[in-house]
Amino acid sequence: MADADLGTTAPTSRAPVDRYARWTGLLVGALAARWLAPLDHGDGVLYAIPAFGLCAVAGVLAGDALTPPARGSVRTAGLAPRRVRAYVPLRLTWLLVALAGALVVLLVVAGMIASPDDLGHAGRALTVKCAGVTQSAGPWPGVHYGLPMLASFAVATAACGWSLRRIATRPGDEQSRRDRSLAVVAAWGLVVSTSLLGAASTASGALMNLSCDGTAGTVANAVLWPLALVALVTVPWTLVTVCSPRASWARRTPGSGGRRWRVRQPGAGGGRWGARQPGARGQQSGARRTGSGGRR
């Protein structure tokens, strides 16, 4: 039979360390985005988006790594294996997985139909022909811009997957695991949603500058606009979640003082333990003396 978790206590410095690490990651990401955005004749925003997302992920993972595990006088663990899916928000996770799939499909398709721009740079524009007229529009999320996005997405996915596995298996209380898993999922979602927003809006803008796109362009815009809208709504939610970590796992039970006593319960057969507060030993001894019939 698995032992019961008798309530570990968390250091009061856990929340500030985690919060400052996340804010630092977002600040570094904002500075990197500001430096990258003016590059490539003002089209560097497609580089700035994945850089900002990766810095946000790094801040969340750093906060989790720098936060010490919960400590207490008694720590036990159940025999049932803990799984990642038991701690992540399922609905949000499935939404982000769908957006990630849409991002990958969009970047792959955009890379396949991309063409060089006026300067001969491959994968930076979209060129179409109709009635003997050739039109080109950019920027286009082809290979030139799509590869950095796919690379940042792959790195963020691997890092966040490893972190979720680490959170699920290391010591701690259930609420702490759920809160930290939510933060990691939100950081990964920030990478996905910002990249999708940038890629979808850029592709839609290039298509709207073409008059030879025909029915294909109309259908593509009908798909790109809803994707960009969903990503636009998801970005601020994930950003707020990353900026404001929950502190419920840092709270302590009032009056507990962080101490737990381990006491064998009657009839447990030597394998079960219960929680007892300080002072219970004296009360139990007094009860034995009272029921002894005055014997010495």
Side-chain angles (χ1 to χ4, degrees), residues 1-5 76-82:
M1 181 178 294
D3 290 337
D5 193 347
T76 57
L79 298 179
R82 293 191 292 265

Side-chain angles (χ1 to χ4, degrees), residues 37-44 117 119 121 124 145:
L39 300 180
D40 217 358
H41 303 286
D43 296 334
D117 60 1
L119 300 177
H121 298 155
R124 292 179 56 178
Y145 299 111

Side-chain angles (χ1 to χ4, degrees), residues 2 5 27 32-33 38 53 57 66 70 87 114 142 150 189-191 201 233 254 256 271:
D5 193 347
L27 178 60
V57 169
L66 294 175
Y87 301 105
L150 287 176
L190 187 61
V191 175
S201 59
V233 175
S256 63

Side-chain angles (χ1 to χ4, degrees), residues 76-93:
T76 57
L79 298 179
R82 293 191 292 265
R83 302 183 183 277
V84 172
R85 63 186 179 186
Y87 301 105
V88 298
L90 292 180
R91 294 181 180 179
L92 173 64
T93 302

Side-chain angles (χ1 to χ4, degrees), residues 19 34 98 170 182 201 207 217:
R19 182 168 60 249
R34 182 179 180 181
R170 73 176 184 179
L182 173 63
S201 59
L207 289 173

